[in-house]
Amino acid sequence: MTAGAFTAAAESASPAPARAARRLAVPGRDLVEALVMAALLAAYARTFLVQPFRIPSSSMAPALLAGDQLLVNRFVYGPTRWQWEHRLLPARPPRRGDVAVFRYPRDPRIPYVKRVLGVPGESVLLRRRELLVDDRPLDERGYAHHSDAASYPESVLVDPFYGRRDNFGPVTVPPASWFVLGDNRELSADSRFWGFVPRSHLLGRAVAVYWSWQPANGNTGGRPRWRRILRPVR
């Protein structure tokens, strides 16, 4: 066989192994692309759709307990520029009753979670623990909790903290701002003490408890709260 014939034979025999190599290489590349896409989607979901958040205190008890870990919908309060976005996307401003996560107005590095009870333009008044919105009493039996049996009147003789805790307002909620309270009224720092939550501080709406851990004494040890896992936030 001449050198030219050998070369021709080699070239004619080479495509089959090359095709086999390509067939082997493609699935590997597809796997890498799939993993990269999954990582990007996870990062997108974490940034724009849901984000985990841990409850550090009992200010929202009994709805949320210290040690609960939440999934937070970050998309729902996202700003929308055009009307068609409102029709096509599930974005909306906070509503009364929403459990909202936001940046603490006095230190935006700290995330807070409270219940929205006053929306822009409404008048809010708290008298002897009773909450009135636009002069109408609000039925809070489904979530409000009082750990202190005593209710204090508004009086110069009452300690300023307790007076403000049980008596507040009336105030009008400013535009693009919300009045929020913790469900555990005697153990919550909220709009009674530091004011309203502006739109720029909103992070999202709490959707569900995806994990819950009950710490033991001294915050060491502890055990899971199995019955709270996947529990919707209401």
Side-chain angles (χ1 to χ4, degrees), residues 7-234:
T7 304
E11 289 176 350
S12 63
S14 61
R19 286 194 297 271
R22 284 197 296 270
R23 285 197 297 271
L24 292 175
V26 167
R29 185 182 66 186
D30 287 348
L31 178 60
V32 172
E33 290 176 351
L35 291 175
V36 171
M37 183 60 68
L40 291 174
L41 289 174
Y44 175 85
R46 177 181 173 86
T47 303
F48 298 103
L49 301 181
V50 294
Q51 182 174 9
F53 176 80
R54 183 177 178 275
I55 299 297
S57 72
S58 58
S59 69
M60 285 294 293
L64 298 175
L65 305 179
D68 283 353
Q69 298 188 36
L70 307 178
L71 287 179
V72 177
N73 183 338
R74 296 197 64 179
F75 183 84
V76 65
Y77 298 152
T80 53
R81 186 175 181 181
W82 293 285
Q83 187 61 36
W84 62 265
E85 292 181 281
H86 288 280
R87 294 194 298 267
L88 297 179
L89 302 176
R92 60 170 177 79
R95 297 171 181 164
R96 189 181 350 272
D98 283 1
V99 176
V101 179
F102 53 91
R103 297 185 185 92
Y104 178 36
R106 291 186 177 177
D107 187 349
R109 297 171 299 177
I110 303 175
Y112 264 40
V113 56
K114 305 293 178 187
R115 191 177 297 275
V116 175
L117 291 172
V119 304
E122 290 184 331
S123 173
V124 177
L125 172 67
L126 193 68
R127 284 291 178 267
R128 300 291 296 266
R129 293 181 174 174
E130 184 180 31
L131 183 63
L132 290 85
V133 177
D134 287 342
D135 298 325
R136 294 190 298 272
L138 198 63
D139 184 359
E140 298 193 280
R141 288 174 294 179
Y143 51 84
H145 175 72
H146 297 283
S147 55
D148 186 349
S151 174
Y152 295 91
E154 184 180 28
S155 169
V156 294
L157 301 178
V158 175
D159 181 280
F161 171 82
Y162 292 102
R164 194 172 186 85
R165 185 194 75 176
D166 295 343
N167 305 275
F168 177 85
V171 295
T172 299
V173 184
S177 299
W178 287 265
F179 180 85
V180 299
L181 293 177
D183 288 354
N184 195 356
R185 295 293 161 80
E186 284 73 56
L187 294 176
S188 176
D190 45 42
S191 289
R192 293 171 293 181
F193 303 101
W194 43 253
F196 305 101
V197 178
R199 179 184 289 278
S200 60
H201 283 54
L202 292 172
L203 294 177
R205 183 176 67 87
V207 176
V209 176
Y210 74 90
W211 179 251
S212 184
W213 185 266
Q214 180 175 351
N217 293 335
N219 292 326
T220 59
R223 59 184 178 83
R225 299 186 185 102
W226 298 110
R227 293 185 178 181
R228 295 190 64 80
I229 295 175
L230 301 181
R231 179 174 179 167
V233 176
R234 295 188 173 90

